[in-house]
């Protein structure tokens, strides 16, 4: 027997679809004309909604470009929680980051590279993206603590979660992202003293 979607479920789907349409319209305009050259009113017209509706979904202009914050948080949590047996947390996160940094050479990959280049050349968006990314620290620390049977993250777990997220930010501004990514995890896992000992022979 088929189930009838609840009114609440339909409302949530409609809300999500409207949010996505607004973000897509804004991103298209920003890529065409530049972030600073597009107004909220123009975004609203492009998405066929009112400016009030835009602000109801996105409290500030920078947020229009980033409509996947919840999805990113869930992906990070899933990387830790659902990693294969015998795989360390660091190895799972390293593999996830590496995959994210190497988009396929197809149309979607080209669009992703164009989008990342757009973020890089728009300081306001780069700063906003960094702040949004670091908001995932609590969720990442919580799932790591849970994986070790701890009810709350320790100071060490919180530090690890913050460093993991900072590695991604460091990598995004590097001309050699994969070597930088791997270097970041080596320092994180082995520690500075280990690396310094190698330098000193």
């Amino acid at each position: 027997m088929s189930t009838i979607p609840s009114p609440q479920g339909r409302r949530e789907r409609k809300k999500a679809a409207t949010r996505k349409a607004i973000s897509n319209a804004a991103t298209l305009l920003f890529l065409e004309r530049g972030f600073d050259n597009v107004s909220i009113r123009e975004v609203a017209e492009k998405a066929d909604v009112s400016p009030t509706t835009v602000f109801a979904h996105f409290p500030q202009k920078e947020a229009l470009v980033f409509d996947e914050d919840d999805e990113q948080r869930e992906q990070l949590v899933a990387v830790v929680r659902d990693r294969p047996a015998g795989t360390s947390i660091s190895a799972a996160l390293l593999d996830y980051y590496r995959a994210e940094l190497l988009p396929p050479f197809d149309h979607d990959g080209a669009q992703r590279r164009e989008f990342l280049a757009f973020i890089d050349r728009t300081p306001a968006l780069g700063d906003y993206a960094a702040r949004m990314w670091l908001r995932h620290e609590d969720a990442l620390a919580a799932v790591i603590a849970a994986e070790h049977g701890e009810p709350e993250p320790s100071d060490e777990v919180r530090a690890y979660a913050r460093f993991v997220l900072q590695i991604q930010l460091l990598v995004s501004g590097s001309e050699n992202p994969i070597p930088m990514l791997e270097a970041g995890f080596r320092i994180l896992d082995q520690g500075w003293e280990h690396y310094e000992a190698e330098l000193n022979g």
Side-chain angles (χ1 to χ4, degrees), residues 66-177:
F66 305 99
D67 68 329
E68 298 179 350
D69 189 50
D70 291 343
E71 290 86 347
Q72 287 181 336
R73 182 180 62 252
E74 292 307 313
Q75 285 175 355
L76 277 171
V77 168
V79 167
V80 174
R81 184 189 59 219
D82 303 334
R83 69 190 189 281
T87 301
S88 71
I89 291 173
S90 281
L93 288 166
L94 174 59
D95 286 344
Y96 171 67
Y97 278 178
R98 189 184 285 119
E100 287 293 297
L101 289 169
L102 293 173
F105 290 97
D106 56 14
H107 181 64
D108 290 340
Q111 284 187 325
R112 176 176 169 78
R113 287 189 292 275
E114 181 184 7
F115 177 75
L116 293 176
F118 161 64
I119 299 300
D120 287 342
R121 64 177 181 264
T122 311
L125 292 178
D127 292 343
Y128 184 85
R131 293 196 304 272
M132 293 291 288
W133 179 246
L134 291 177
R135 287 173 56 189
H136 301 321
E137 179 185 323
D138 287 345
L140 183 58
V143 71
I144 292 171
E147 287 294 295
H148 290 88
E150 298 295 331
E152 297 290 336
S154 64
D155 290 342
E156 290 80 4
V157 168
R158 287 197 174 280
Y160 174 87
R162 171 59 67 92
F163 295 154
V164 164
L165 296 175
Q166 290 285 4
I167 287 173
Q168 198 273 350
L169 297 180
L170 180 65
V171 166
S172 66
S174 173
E175 294 182 359
N176 300 296

